[in-house]
Amino acid sequence: TQLLEQSPQFLSIQEGENLTVYCNSSSVFSSLQWYRQEPGEGPVLLVTVVTGGEVKKLKRLTFQFGDARKDSSLHITAAQPGDTGLYLCAGERGNNRKLIWGLGTSLAVNP
Amino acid sequence: GAGVSQSPSNKVTEKGKDVELRCDPISGHTALYWYRQRLGQGLEFLIYFQGNSAPDKSGLPSDRFSAERTGESVSTLTIQRTQQEDSAVYLCASSLGGTDTQYFGPGTRLTVL
């Protein structure tokens, strides 16, 4: 059983399109992090959300943490080929440093 | 170097052999983590070192797995009597403190034949 469910698992879109990927759980998290991982590399942290309802923007990326702190979404506006990669969400419960990871959404943005 | 480095980048071994994976954290980072990323599965926490505290080994899947860290420097993850299910990418991450951003290395891809 996966504690953090990410959807969709795969996404292939054309450059310029918008997209949203989701990270859902039945558990409450004290914080949730989004990472991007490229082939042959480790994950790179994009953002951490902590407060229920919080919205953070990073250029064309918008991250939202659900009010109940059980789910999160990542919206990309006008996707570019450089956005291609595996997007992972990871949740922290309490101050336990053992992050719980989703399986990721593999995004391909075609020129 | 500026980032976390891991060696080797790829390791192919035969079932039953022992392997040793190395992680060089970012200088000054007191916390160090090992994760395993198997195909089709999420990252699994293996072990966490924080300064001179006893490591959190609660994620190690069996007694064939062990890890050491000397002070706040290099760490080695050892897998004894490797099995095919040990095939995975092993990722190391370090952070300035226990609650800070984790910076990941590129990983070691282990293939057990």
Side-chain angles (χ1 to χ4, degrees):
Chain A
T1 303
Q2 198 66 26
L3 280 178
L4 273 173
E5 300 282 348
Q6 289 193 244
S7 61
Q9 187 177 357
F10 299 99
L11 189 56
S12 180
I13 62 171
Q14 294 301 120
E15 183 175 1
E17 292 183 9
N18 301 333
L19 67 116
T20 302
V21 297
Y22 301 92
C23 176
N24 296 312
S25 176
S26 57
S27 300
V28 175
F29 292 96
S30 56
S31 70
L32 200 138
Q33 302 174 5
W34 283 93
Y35 293 79
R36 189 173 84 190
Q37 185 177 21
E38 299 188 36
E41 301 291 331
V44 175
L45 180 67
L46 297 174
V47 79
T48 300
V49 285
V50 178
T51 306
E54 182 176 4
V55 176
K56 282 192 173 179
K57 291 193 174 184
L58 186 65
K59 296 184 180 178
R60 295 175 293 100
L61 277 60
T62 301
F63 304 85
Q64 185 163 6
F65 201 13
D67 291 341
R69 290 186 288 132
K70 293 182 179 181
D71 52 77
S72 182
S73 64
L74 159 59
H75 181 79
I76 302 179
T77 304
Q80 299 178 1
D83 296 329
T84 293
L86 179 67
Y87 288 82
L88 294 161
C89 66
E92 190 171 0
R93 300 172 77 175
N95 58 2
N96 185 334
R97 290 299 295 159
K98 291 180 285 187
L99 293 173
I100 296 168
W101 295 79
L103 296 184
T105 293
S106 180
L107 172 65
V109 182
N110 307 301
Chain B
V4 178
S5 60
Q6 292 186 245
S7 60
S9 55
N10 280 285
K11 176 72 176 179
V12 180
T13 190
E14 293 179 348
K15 178 181 172 181
K17 295 285 180 68
D18 298 351
V19 296
E20 194 172 274
L21 312 180
R22 176 186 169 109
C23 172
D24 283 85
I26 295 172
S27 178
H29 280 195
T30 63
L32 187 146
Y33 308 77
W34 283 98
Y35 294 89
R36 179 169 70 177
Q37 189 175 30
R38 289 190 285 192
L39 194 63
Q41 299 186 28
L43 270 75
E44 300 172 69
F45 165 83
L46 297 177
I47 189 169
Y48 162 56
F49 295 91
Q50 171 59 64
N52 294 320
S53 302
D56 179 347
K57 304 180 180 180
S58 60
L60 295 178
S62 77
D63 58 9
R64 295 187 295 104
F65 288 72
S66 62
E68 292 184 350
R69 187 183 188 195
T70 305
E72 294 182 356
S73 60
V74 171
S75 176
T76 56
L77 176 69
T78 301
I79 308 174
Q80 296 178 309
R81 304 180 303 281
T82 53
Q83 304 294 314
Q84 288 183 331
E85 61 262 29
D86 299 334
S87 295
V89 175
Y90 289 82
L91 291 162
C92 173
S94 70
S95 65
L96 193 59
T99 59
D100 295 300
T101 299
Q102 296 182 35
Y103 294 87
F104 283 81
T108 293
R109 180 174 296 278
L110 175 67
T111 303
V112 182
L113 301 178

